[in-house]
Amino acid sequence: MRSKLLTAVALVSTLSFAAPAFAQSEVNSNVRRLIETRECYACNLTGANLQGAHLIGADLRNANLQGANLKDANLEGADLTGANLQSANLTSAFINSVSLNNANMMNANLTNAQFISAELDGANLIGVNLAGAELFNVNLGIGGEY
């Protein structure tokens, strides 16, 4: 009985340590795929380091970029419809002709970002930091009833 308990504890411990390594491996694989193909539909990029990445025209629809580092990234023409950018760092990012419709941008850092002709219909902008950001030809809906 005692050996079965020890075996079960050892198995659970092994799985607990392997899960984060597997998740990070998945993210790293998805980052490589994104950089090489500019396609990562609905993929897991949680916490990914994409600082300075050229993601021009990238398909990131429904991707999970929660906590990702997109500082100084070029997202020109990218499609981030439905993407999760919660707590992502988009400091000084170039966001030109980007679709962020229905994206979750809660608590994202957009300090000094450049938004030009970006689509933000239905995007969650609660807690977003727009200090120093430049917005041109962007419609922002402020909450409340019409």
Side-chain angles (χ1 to χ4, degrees):
M1 176 73 160
R2 187 174 190 112
S3 66
K4 287 183 182 178
L5 179 61
L6 290 175
T7 302
V9 169
L11 179 62
V12 170
S13 296
T14 302
L15 292 176
S16 296
F17 290 120
F22 173 76
Q24 189 58 45
S25 171
E26 176 190 13
V27 169
N28 292 339
S29 174
N30 287 337
V31 167
R32 278 192 302 278
R33 182 177 83 184
L34 174 62
I35 299 300
E36 291 171 5
T37 68
R38 290 194 170 79
E39 293 183 15
C40 210
Y41 174 82
C43 67
N44 180 13
L45 294 165
T46 304
N49 184 5
L50 295 164
Q51 182 171 342
H54 292 275
L55 302 174
I56 300 164
D59 181 1
L60 288 161
R61 292 172 295 147
N62 299 314
N64 186 356
L65 289 147
Q66 184 171 355
N69 181 8
L70 291 154
K71 181 179 180 182
D72 298 316
N74 184 342
L75 295 163
E76 185 172 4
D79 190 350
L80 288 124
T81 302
N84 181 7
L85 290 155
Q86 184 173 350
S87 301
N89 181 6
L90 289 125
T91 301
S92 301
F94 184 63
I95 304 166
N96 180 15
S97 301
V98 173
S99 174
L100 288 158
N101 294 330
N102 301 311
N104 178 10
M105 300 177 71
M106 181 182 277
N107 299 321
N109 184 357
L110 299 165
T111 303
N112 298 320
Q114 293 180 313
F115 280 88
I116 303 167
S117 300
E119 299 173 8
L120 292 157
D121 293 332
N124 179 351
L125 301 173
I126 295 172
V128 167
N129 183 353
L130 289 167
E134 297 177 19
L135 290 91
F136 178 75
N137 197 28
V138 176
N139 291 326
L140 290 176
I142 305 303
E145 298 286 326
Y146 290 105

